[in-house]
């Protein structure tokens, strides 16, 4: 029984990254065709960095509502993917309400209603997710050093 618990704990620890922050894909298909589906993008950004905020201000201010670009002080940042009626795809980090992730999508839909003839504002698809790189082609983030430590600890435990 004890060995089973140790191996289960080791497996769970191997899937956790300690000290990391949310990482998301960041691109705009209007300047990077690999951003569209099927997704082939490679640009990853840590959401807590100023780089993600600067990117949104520089490249998405014409596409996204101002309240999404500026964000909310202290709000958590999550991965987002938007596809607009004009075919543009955007993947980025944005502030979001952790108890209502769909709030961002509703803000985009409201902005679209204010500009019904502007295809660059009309949303075709909107998703918000809270796992690393979840706004791309799905991945599981694993911590190799932690996995090695967990395996060694499990091995040493079974030798006792």
């Amino acid at each position: 029984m004890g060995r089973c618990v140790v191996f289960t704990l080791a497996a769970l620890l191997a899937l956790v990254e300690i000290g990391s922050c949310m990482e998301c894909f960041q691109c705009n298909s209007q300047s990077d065709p690999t951003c569209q589906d099927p997704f082939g993008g490679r640009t990853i950004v840590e959401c807590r960095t100023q780089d993600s905020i600067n990117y949104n201000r520089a490249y998405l201010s014409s596409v996204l509502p101002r309240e999404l670009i500026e964000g909310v002080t202290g709000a958590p940042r999550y991965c987002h993917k938007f596809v607009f009626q004009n075919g543009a795809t955007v993947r980025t980090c944005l502030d979001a309400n952790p108890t209502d992730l769909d709030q961002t999508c509703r803000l985009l839909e409201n902005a679209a209603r204010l500009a019904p003839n502007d295809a660059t504002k009309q949303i075709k698809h909107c998703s918000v997710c809270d796992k690393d790189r979840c706004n791309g082609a799905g991945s599981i983030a694993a911590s190799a050093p932690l996995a090695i430590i967990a395996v060694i600890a499990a091995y040493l435990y079974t030798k006792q």
Side-chain angles (χ1 to χ4, degrees):
M1 176 79 174
R3 289 183 186 177
C4 183
V5 171
V6 170
F7 284 116
T8 302
L9 181 61
L12 289 173
L13 287 174
L15 295 176
V16 176
E17 287 192 58
I18 295 176
S20 66
C21 68
M22 178 79 65
E23 289 183 342
C24 300
F25 289 101
Q26 180 174 271
C27 57
N28 182 340
S29 67
Q30 292 174 321
S31 59
D32 177 4
T34 65
C35 192
Q36 291 182 313
D37 292 320
F39 182 60
R42 303 268 186 255
T43 304
I44 299 168
V45 66
E46 287 188 6
C47 290
R48 71 176 176 188
T49 65
Q50 190 64 37
D51 289 343
S52 72
I53 296 166
N54 291 343
Y55 178 86
N56 291 340
R57 285 181 181 152
Y59 300 105
L60 304 178
S61 59
S62 65
V63 177
L64 299 178
R66 184 173 174 225
E67 57 268 27
L68 289 178
I69 297 291
E70 295 305 318
V72 178
T73 304
R77 297 178 68 73
Y78 294 102
C79 300
H80 291 68
K81 177 186 173 187
F82 310 117
V83 180
F84 295 89
Q85 289 295 340
N86 68 347
T89 300
V90 172
R91 300 170 199 266
T92 193
C93 295
L94 289 170
D95 294 350
N97 181 342
T99 60
D100 183 11
L101 292 181
D102 290 332
Q103 183 179 20
T104 304
C105 297
R106 285 194 305 277
L107 284 171
L108 279 171
E109 289 167 0
N110 290 340
R113 282 188 205 105
L114 297 174
N117 297 325
D118 186 351
T120 65
K121 304 271 190 223
Q122 304 305 308
I123 271 295
K124 186 175 186 181
H125 168 81
C126 176
S127 62
V128 183
C129 52
D130 61 356
K131 305 282 185 258
D132 280 342
R133 305 176 192 184
C134 59
N135 64 338
S139 66
I140 296 175
S143 172
L146 191 55
I148 292 168
I149 291 169
V151 169
I152 291 170
Y155 174 75
L156 293 175
Y157 177 79
T158 59
K159 285 297 206 180
Q160 294 181 354

Coordinates of all heavy atoms in Angstrom, one line a residue, residues 4 11 25 84 94 106 127 133 142:
C4 N 2.5 2.1 -3.4 CA 1.5 2.7 -4.4 C 1.3 4.2 -4.1 O 1.2 4.9 -5.1 CB 0.2 1.9 -4.2 SG -1.1 2.4 -5.4
A11 N 4.2 10.6 -9.4 CA 3.6 10.9 -10.7 C 2.9 12.3 -10.7 O 3.1 13.1 -11.6 CB 2.6 9.8 -11.1
F25 N 0.6 31.2 -25.7 CA 1.0 31.5 -27.1 C 0.6 32.9 -27.4 O -0.5 33.4 -26.9 CB 0.5 30.6 -28.1 CG 1.1 29.2 -28.0 CD1 0.4 28.2 -27.4 CD2 2.3 29.0 -28.6 CE1 1.0 26.9 -27.3 CE2 2.9 27.7 -28.5 CZ 2.3 26.7 -27.9
F84 N -11.8 36.0 -35.5 CA -12.8 37.1 -36.0 C -13.4 36.7 -37.3 O -12.8 35.8 -38.0 CB -12.0 38.4 -36.1 CG -11.6 38.9 -34.7 CD1 -10.3 38.6 -34.2 CD2 -12.4 39.7 -33.9 CE1 -9.9 39.0 -33.0 CE2 -12.0 40.1 -32.7 CZ -10.7 39.8 -32.2
L94 N -4.4 37.8 -21.4 CA -5.2 39.0 -21.0 C -5.7 38.8 -19.6 O -5.9 37.6 -19.1 CB -6.4 39.2 -21.9 CG -6.1 39.7 -23.3 CD1 -7.4 39.5 -24.1 CD2 -5.6 41.1 -23.3
R106 N -17.7 37.9 -23.6 CA -18.9 38.8 -23.6 C -18.5 40.3 -23.9 O -19.2 41.0 -24.6 CB -19.6 38.7 -22.3 CG -20.5 37.4 -22.1 CD -21.5 37.5 -21.0 NE -20.9 37.8 -19.7 CZ -20.3 36.9 -18.9 NH1 -20.2 35.7 -19.2 NH2 -19.9 37.3 -17.7
S127 N -12.2 31.8 -26.8 CA -12.0 30.9 -25.7 C -10.9 31.5 -24.7 O -10.0 32.2 -25.1 CB -11.5 29.5 -26.2 OG -10.3 29.6 -26.9
R133 N 0.0 27.3 -22.1 CA -0.1 27.1 -23.5 C -1.3 26.5 -24.0 O -1.4 25.8 -25.1 CB 1.1 26.2 -23.9 CG 2.5 26.8 -23.5 CD 3.6 26.0 -23.8 NE 4.8 26.4 -23.1 CZ 6.0 25.9 -23.3 NH1 6.2 24.9 -24.1 NH2 7.0 26.4 -22.6
A142 N 5.4 19.6 -18.0 CA 5.9 18.7 -17.0 C 7.3 19.3 -16.5 O 8.0 19.9 -17.3 CB 6.1 17.3 -17.5

